[in-house]
Each structure stands twice: as structure tokens, then as C-alpha cells.
Amino acid sequence: MLSDHLKNNIRFLDEVDSWEDSIKLAAEPLLHKGCITPKYIDDMIRNVNVNGPYIVIVPGIAMPHAKNEDGVINTGLSLLKLKNPVLFPEGKEVNILIVLAAEDSTGHLDLISDLSSILIDEDVMDQFKNCGNEEEFIHIIKLVE
């Protein structure tokens, strides 16, 4: 399931100018596919400005999100991997952003469960951090699904 949502939604960049740009760029695949509106991106950025970098869920990984009524059309997931980390508020460095857009309050729980399995596995996380293309990411995800 996780691999299906991420297919064709993974981007690789060397660096970005700001954490705000990282969220925008990470969300672009979902925007282009019509899963979210520009308002959803604005609200993800606003959430960090208001609440701090709570979206940095483990060192090096952020999961930007907002409320589904803030512009989610269809549940989706996208990922941005940066070669050079971007600095979030409070000095938190991030190399991987996983954007979650949930159509309703329960439909994304399976995705969160699958992501949790990956995030707690240090070997998988090391593989993630060394991935160089989408095929490698998808392959790793399918091994743990």
C-alpha cells in the first residue's frame, strides 16, 4: 500500500533554499496529481510557523501535514530526499520529507502504520538515507510491507 502511494511521487534534490521551499517541493507531486490544493501546502508551512518543527518526527525526517479540510482532495503521499539537509526551526536538520495528505480522519491510518514500521527499523532507515533513486526506495518499502 505504501509503495503504491509513493510510486511516481518521490523527488531527489541536492539542496533547497529554505525549509518552506522543502515543503513546497515535497508536496508538488500531490499538487500536480490533484490530491491537494495550494491551500494545503500553505497550511503545512503555517503549522510549522505556529507550532514549531513538530513535524520532524525522527532525526533527519519530517512529515509535513495539515488538516484534511485544509485542501485534501484525495489521500496521498509524496517524498523528497535532499542530499544536503535543510534547516528547520530550532536547528533541526532534515534530509527526507514525507508529505501526508489524508482525505479523512481514518483512511490514512494504514499508511501511518506502514511508515512507523519503516521509521523504527534502523537498518531500513540507513538504506533509505543511502537511496539514490525512486526504484531503490520502492524496493526497500516493498520488502517491509
Side-chain angles (χ1 to χ4, degrees), residues 26-80:
E28 266 185 5
L30 298 179
L31 183 64
H32 290 302
K33 288 184 175 182
C35 293
I36 61 172
T37 67
K39 182 181 181 333
Y40 190 73
I41 296 171
D42 293 340
D43 286 347
M44 288 189 291
I45 292 168
R46 186 174 14 266
N47 283 345
V48 174
N49 282 321
V50 170
N51 302 308
Y54 74 98
I55 63 169
V56 181
I57 54 175
V58 296
I61 299 179
M63 187 180 289
H65 58 281
K67 294 180 180 177
N68 58 341
E69 61 266 14
D70 291 336
V72 177
I73 299 163
N74 294 306
T75 297
L77 205 58
S78 60
L79 188 146
L80 172 65

Side-chain angles (χ1 to χ4, degrees), residues 6-24:
L6 280 173
K7 186 141 179 81
N8 300 316
N9 288 344
I10 300 175
R11 300 182 71 184
F12 293 82
L13 295 172
D14 286 340
E15 60 189 15
V16 295
D17 292 331
S18 67
W19 65 265
E20 294 95 338
D21 284 346
S22 72
I23 291 176
K24 291 174 188 175

Side-chain angles (χ1 to χ4, degrees), residues 4-5 13 30 45 60 75 91 94 99 106 108 112-113 115 134:
D4 293 336
H5 279 284
L13 295 172
L30 298 179
I45 292 168
T75 297
V94 171
V99 174
T106 60
H108 65 293
I112 297 259
S113 175
L115 278 171
E134 180 174 315

Side-chain angles (χ1 to χ4, degrees), residues 8 19-20 37 43 47 67 70 85 87-88 90 111 113-114 123-124 126 135 139 141:
N8 300 316
W19 65 265
E20 294 95 338
T37 67
D43 286 347
N47 283 345
K67 294 180 180 177
D70 291 336
L87 199 58
F88 271 74
E90 299 178 18
L111 291 174
S113 175
D114 290 347
D123 291 333
V124 173
D126 286 341
E135 292 77 27
H139 176 73
I141 290 167

